Structure formats: C-alpha cells, structure tokens
Short mmCIF file of all heavy atoms in Angstrom, two decimals:
data_model
loop_
_atom_site.label_atom_id
_atom_site.label_comp_id
_atom_site.label_asym_id
_atom_site.label_seq_id
_atom_site.Cartn_x
_atom_site.Cartn_y
_atom_site.Cartn_z
N ASP A 56 0.85 -1.18 0.00
CA ASP A 56 0.00 0.00 0.00
C ASP A 56 0.89 1.24 0.00
O ASP A 56 1.47 1.61 1.02
CB ASP A 56 -0.90 -0.01 1.23
CG ASP A 56 -2.03 1.01 1.12
OD1 ASP A 56 -1.78 2.10 0.56
OD2 ASP A 56 -3.14 0.73 1.60
N LEU A 57 1.01 1.89 -1.16
CA LEU A 57 1.84 3.07 -1.28
C LEU A 57 1.28 4.24 -0.46
O LEU A 57 2.04 5.03 0.10
CB LEU A 57 1.98 3.48 -2.74
CG LEU A 57 2.74 2.50 -3.66
CD1 LEU A 57 2.72 3.00 -5.09
CD2 LEU A 57 4.15 2.30 -3.17
N SER A 58 -0.05 4.34 -0.41
CA SER A 58 -0.65 5.47 0.31
C SER A 58 -0.36 5.40 1.80
O SER A 58 -0.24 6.44 2.46
CB SER A 58 -2.16 5.51 0.07
OG SER A 58 -2.78 4.32 0.57
N GLU A 59 -0.26 4.18 2.34
CA GLU A 59 0.04 4.02 3.76
C GLU A 59 1.53 3.80 4.01
O GLU A 59 1.96 3.74 5.16
CB GLU A 59 -0.74 2.85 4.34
CG GLU A 59 -2.25 3.05 4.33
CD GLU A 59 -2.99 1.89 4.96
OE1 GLU A 59 -2.31 0.98 5.49
OE2 GLU A 59 -4.23 1.88 4.93
N GLY A 60 2.30 3.68 2.94
CA GLY A 60 3.73 3.44 3.10
C GLY A 60 4.05 2.08 3.68
O GLY A 60 5.02 1.93 4.42
N LYS A 61 3.25 1.07 3.33
CA LYS A 61 3.44 -0.27 3.88
C LYS A 61 3.85 -1.23 2.78
O LYS A 61 3.23 -1.27 1.70
CB LYS A 61 2.16 -0.77 4.55
CG LYS A 61 1.83 -0.04 5.84
CD LYS A 61 0.63 -0.67 6.55
CE LYS A 61 0.36 0.02 7.88
NZ LYS A 61 -0.78 -0.59 8.59
N SER A 62 4.87 -2.02 3.06
CA SER A 62 5.31 -3.04 2.12
C SER A 62 4.36 -4.23 2.16
O SER A 62 3.48 -4.32 3.03
CB SER A 62 6.72 -3.50 2.49
OG SER A 62 6.69 -4.18 3.75
N PHE A 63 4.57 -5.15 1.21
CA PHE A 63 3.75 -6.36 1.19
C PHE A 63 3.87 -7.12 2.51
O PHE A 63 2.88 -7.60 3.07
CB PHE A 63 4.17 -7.25 0.02
CG PHE A 63 3.42 -8.55 -0.05
CD1 PHE A 63 2.20 -8.63 -0.66
CD2 PHE A 63 3.96 -9.70 0.52
CE1 PHE A 63 1.50 -9.83 -0.71
CE2 PHE A 63 3.27 -10.90 0.47
CZ PHE A 63 2.04 -10.97 -0.14
N TYR A 64 5.09 -7.22 3.02
CA TYR A 64 5.31 -7.97 4.27
C TYR A 64 4.56 -7.32 5.43
O TYR A 64 3.97 -8.01 6.26
CB TYR A 64 6.80 -8.07 4.58
CG TYR A 64 7.09 -8.80 5.87
CD1 TYR A 64 6.84 -10.16 5.99
CD2 TYR A 64 7.61 -8.12 6.97
CE1 TYR A 64 7.09 -10.83 7.17
CE2 TYR A 64 7.87 -8.78 8.15
CZ TYR A 64 7.61 -10.14 8.26
OH TYR A 64 7.86 -10.80 9.43
N MET A 65 4.57 -5.98 5.49
CA MET A 65 3.87 -5.31 6.58
C MET A 65 2.35 -5.49 6.47
O MET A 65 1.66 -5.57 7.49
CB MET A 65 4.22 -3.82 6.61
CG MET A 65 5.60 -3.52 7.18
SD MET A 65 5.87 -4.28 8.81
CE MET A 65 4.55 -3.53 9.77
N LYS A 66 1.83 -5.55 5.25
CA LYS A 66 0.41 -5.84 5.09
C LYS A 66 0.09 -7.24 5.61
O LYS A 66 -0.95 -7.47 6.24
CB LYS A 66 0.00 -5.72 3.62
CG LYS A 66 0.03 -4.30 3.09
CD LYS A 66 -1.03 -3.43 3.75
CE LYS A 66 -2.43 -3.81 3.32
NZ LYS A 66 -3.44 -2.87 3.83
N GLU A 67 1.01 -8.19 5.34
CA GLU A 67 0.83 -9.53 5.90
C GLU A 67 0.85 -9.49 7.42
O GLU A 67 0.02 -10.13 8.09
CB GLU A 67 1.96 -10.45 5.41
CG GLU A 67 1.80 -10.97 4.01
CD GLU A 67 2.87 -12.00 3.68
OE1 GLU A 67 4.07 -11.68 3.79
OE2 GLU A 67 2.50 -13.15 3.34
N VAL A 68 1.81 -8.76 7.97
CA VAL A 68 1.94 -8.68 9.43
C VAL A 68 0.66 -8.13 10.05
O VAL A 68 0.14 -8.68 11.03
CB VAL A 68 3.16 -7.80 9.80
CG1 VAL A 68 3.15 -7.50 11.30
CG2 VAL A 68 4.46 -8.51 9.41
N ASP A 69 0.13 -7.04 9.49
CA ASP A 69 -1.08 -6.43 10.04
C ASP A 69 -2.27 -7.38 9.94
O ASP A 69 -3.06 -7.51 10.89
CB ASP A 69 -1.40 -5.13 9.30
CG ASP A 69 -0.38 -4.03 9.59
OD1 ASP A 69 0.36 -4.16 10.59
OD2 ASP A 69 -0.32 -3.05 8.82
N THR A 70 -2.41 -8.03 8.79
CA THR A 70 -3.54 -8.93 8.58
C THR A 70 -3.49 -10.12 9.52
O THR A 70 -4.49 -10.50 10.14
CB THR A 70 -3.58 -9.41 7.11
OG1 THR A 70 -3.67 -8.29 6.25
CG2 THR A 70 -4.77 -10.33 6.87
N ILE A 71 -2.33 -10.74 9.64
CA ILE A 71 -2.20 -11.93 10.47
C ILE A 71 -2.27 -11.57 11.95
O ILE A 71 -2.78 -12.35 12.77
CB ILE A 71 -0.90 -12.69 10.12
CG1 ILE A 71 -1.00 -13.19 8.66
CG2 ILE A 71 -0.66 -13.85 11.06
CD1 ILE A 71 0.27 -13.81 8.13
N LYS A 72 -1.80 -10.39 12.32
CA LYS A 72 -1.95 -9.94 13.71
C LYS A 72 -3.43 -9.83 14.07
O LYS A 72 -3.84 -10.20 15.18
CB LYS A 72 -1.25 -8.60 13.90
CG LYS A 72 -1.35 -8.07 15.32
CD LYS A 72 -0.70 -6.70 15.46
CE LYS A 72 -0.88 -6.15 16.87
NZ LYS A 72 -0.28 -4.79 17.02
N GLU A 73 -4.22 -9.30 13.14
CA GLU A 73 -5.66 -9.21 13.37
C GLU A 73 -6.28 -10.60 13.53
O GLU A 73 -7.16 -10.81 14.37
CB GLU A 73 -6.32 -8.47 12.20
CG GLU A 73 -7.83 -8.35 12.28
CD GLU A 73 -8.31 -7.45 13.40
OE1 GLU A 73 -7.48 -6.68 13.96
OE2 GLU A 73 -9.52 -7.50 13.72
N MET A 74 -5.82 -11.56 12.74
CA MET A 74 -6.32 -12.93 12.86
C MET A 74 -6.00 -13.50 14.24
O MET A 74 -6.84 -14.18 14.86
CB MET A 74 -5.72 -13.81 11.77
CG MET A 74 -6.21 -13.50 10.37
SD MET A 74 -5.45 -14.64 9.18
CE MET A 74 -6.35 -14.22 7.70
N ILE A 75 -4.79 -13.26 14.72
CA ILE A 75 -4.41 -13.76 16.04
C ILE A 75 -5.30 -13.15 17.12
O ILE A 75 -5.74 -13.84 18.06
CB ILE A 75 -2.92 -13.44 16.31
CG1 ILE A 75 -2.04 -14.29 15.39
CG2 ILE A 75 -2.57 -13.70 17.77
CD1 ILE A 75 -0.56 -13.98 15.49
N SER A 76 -5.62 -11.87 16.97
CA SER A 76 -6.52 -11.23 17.93
C SER A 76 -7.90 -11.86 17.89
O SER A 76 -8.52 -12.12 18.93
CB SER A 76 -6.62 -9.72 17.64
OG SER A 76 -5.36 -9.09 17.76
N ARG A 77 -8.40 -12.13 16.67
CA ARG A 77 -9.73 -12.74 16.53
C ARG A 77 -9.76 -14.15 17.10
O ARG A 77 -10.79 -14.62 17.61
CB ARG A 77 -10.14 -12.77 15.06
CG ARG A 77 -10.28 -11.40 14.42
CD ARG A 77 -11.36 -10.59 15.06
NE ARG A 77 -11.56 -9.31 14.39
CZ ARG A 77 -12.43 -8.39 14.79
NH1 ARG A 77 -13.16 -8.60 15.88
NH2 ARG A 77 -12.54 -7.25 14.13
N SER A 78 -8.64 -14.85 17.02
CA SER A 78 -8.61 -16.23 17.51
C SER A 78 -8.76 -16.32 19.02
O SER A 78 -9.04 -17.38 19.56
CB SER A 78 -7.29 -16.89 17.09
OG SER A 78 -6.20 -16.35 17.81
N GLN A 79 -8.59 -15.21 19.72
CA GLN A 79 -8.67 -15.19 21.17
C GLN A 79 -10.05 -14.81 21.68
O GLN A 79 -10.25 -14.65 22.88
CB GLN A 79 -7.62 -14.20 21.73
CG GLN A 79 -6.19 -14.58 21.38
CD GLN A 79 -5.19 -13.49 21.72
OE1 GLN A 79 -5.56 -12.38 22.11
NE2 GLN A 79 -3.91 -13.79 21.58
N GLU A 80 -11.02 -14.68 20.78
CA GLU A 80 -12.36 -14.27 21.18
C GLU A 80 -13.23 -15.44 21.61
O GLU A 80 -14.38 -15.24 22.01
CB GLU A 80 -13.03 -13.50 20.04
CG GLU A 80 -12.34 -12.19 19.72
CD GLU A 80 -13.00 -11.45 18.58
OE1 GLU A 80 -13.91 -12.05 17.93
OE2 GLU A 80 -12.62 -10.30 18.32
N GLY A 81 -12.73 -16.67 21.46
CA GLY A 81 -13.49 -17.84 21.90
C GLY A 81 -14.53 -18.33 20.93
O GLY A 81 -15.40 -19.13 21.30
N THR A 82 -14.48 -17.87 19.67
CA THR A 82 -15.41 -18.33 18.65
C THR A 82 -14.68 -19.25 17.67
O THR A 82 -13.46 -19.25 17.59
CB THR A 82 -16.01 -17.14 17.88
OG1 THR A 82 -14.94 -16.39 17.28
CG2 THR A 82 -16.80 -16.23 18.81
N ALA A 83 -15.47 -20.02 16.92
CA ALA A 83 -14.88 -20.87 15.88
C ALA A 83 -14.52 -20.02 14.68
O ALA A 83 -15.30 -19.17 14.24
CB ALA A 83 -15.86 -21.97 15.48
N ASN A 84 -13.33 -20.24 14.14
CA ASN A 84 -12.84 -19.41 13.04
C ASN A 84 -12.25 -20.28 11.93
O ASN A 84 -11.68 -21.34 12.19
CB ASN A 84 -11.74 -18.46 13.53
CG ASN A 84 -12.20 -17.57 14.67
OD1 ASN A 84 -13.05 -16.72 14.50
ND2 ASN A 84 -11.63 -17.79 15.86
N LEU A 85 -12.41 -19.79 10.71
CA LEU A 85 -11.74 -20.38 9.55
C LEU A 85 -10.71 -19.37 9.06
O LEU A 85 -11.07 -18.25 8.67
CB LEU A 85 -12.74 -20.69 8.44
CG LEU A 85 -12.15 -21.13 7.10
CD1 LEU A 85 -11.41 -22.46 7.24
CD2 LEU A 85 -13.23 -21.22 6.03
N PHE A 86 -9.43 -19.74 9.11
CA PHE A 86 -8.35 -18.87 8.67
C PHE A 86 -7.79 -19.40 7.36
O PHE A 86 -7.40 -20.58 7.28
CB PHE A 86 -7.24 -18.80 9.72
CG PHE A 86 -7.68 -18.15 11.01
CD1 PHE A 86 -7.68 -18.87 12.19
CD2 PHE A 86 -8.08 -16.83 11.04
CE1 PHE A 86 -8.08 -18.28 13.38
CE2 PHE A 86 -8.48 -16.22 12.22
CZ PHE A 86 -8.48 -16.95 13.39
N LEU A 87 -7.75 -18.54 6.35
CA LEU A 87 -7.28 -18.91 5.02
C LEU A 87 -6.00 -18.15 4.70
O LEU A 87 -5.97 -16.92 4.75
CB LEU A 87 -8.35 -18.61 3.97
CG LEU A 87 -9.73 -19.22 4.20
CD1 LEU A 87 -10.71 -18.74 3.15
CD2 LEU A 87 -9.66 -20.74 4.22
N PHE A 88 -4.93 -18.89 4.37
CA PHE A 88 -3.65 -18.30 4.01
C PHE A 88 -3.20 -18.83 2.66
O PHE A 88 -3.43 -20.00 2.34
CB PHE A 88 -2.57 -18.64 5.05
CG PHE A 88 -2.86 -18.18 6.45
CD1 PHE A 88 -3.43 -19.04 7.37
CD2 PHE A 88 -2.58 -16.88 6.84
CE1 PHE A 88 -3.69 -18.62 8.67
CE2 PHE A 88 -2.84 -16.45 8.13
CZ PHE A 88 -3.41 -17.32 9.04
N ASP A 89 -2.53 -17.98 1.91
CA ASP A 89 -1.93 -18.40 0.64
C ASP A 89 -0.45 -18.07 0.69
O ASP A 89 -0.06 -16.90 0.58
CB ASP A 89 -2.61 -17.69 -0.53
CG ASP A 89 -2.10 -18.19 -1.87
OD1 ASP A 89 -1.53 -19.31 -1.92
OD2 ASP A 89 -2.25 -17.46 -2.87
N GLU A 90 0.38 -19.11 0.86
CA GLU A 90 1.84 -18.94 0.96
C GLU A 90 2.16 -17.90 2.05
O GLU A 90 2.66 -16.81 1.77
CB GLU A 90 2.43 -18.52 -0.39
CG GLU A 90 2.20 -19.57 -1.47
CD GLU A 90 2.75 -19.11 -2.82
OE1 GLU A 90 3.68 -18.29 -2.82
OE2 GLU A 90 2.25 -19.58 -3.85
#
C-alpha cells in the first residue's frame, strides 16, 4: 500500500496480527492463508 507506506510484508503482518486477535475471542474461526 503506497498510500500508507506499507510493504507487502507489513500488510501480511497487520492482517495476520488481526487474525491472532480474533482467535482469542473464543469463537470458531476459519483462517485462510496463501503462501
């Protein structure tokens, strides 16, 4: 994201960090990753 100044890796970091947060809510989750 050029507008936010974030590299591809940082977008991955932000997205997966959010998934980790969601996994702690005690609900059933389906997490989909591609490489």
Side-chain angles (χ1 to χ4, degrees):
D56 194 324
L57 294 177
S58 62
E59 295 182 6
K61 290 186 177 181
S62 66
F63 177 84
Y64 179 68
M65 284 307 301
K66 291 293 290 187
E67 282 187 303
V68 170
D69 291 343
T70 302
I71 296 173
K72 180 183 177 181
E73 177 68 15
M74 291 181 172
I75 291 175
S76 298
R77 298 297 183 182
S78 70
Q79 298 171 353
E80 295 179 352
T82 58
N84 304 293
L85 171 65
F86 295 117
L87 305 175
F88 300 97
D89 185 20
E90 298 178 26

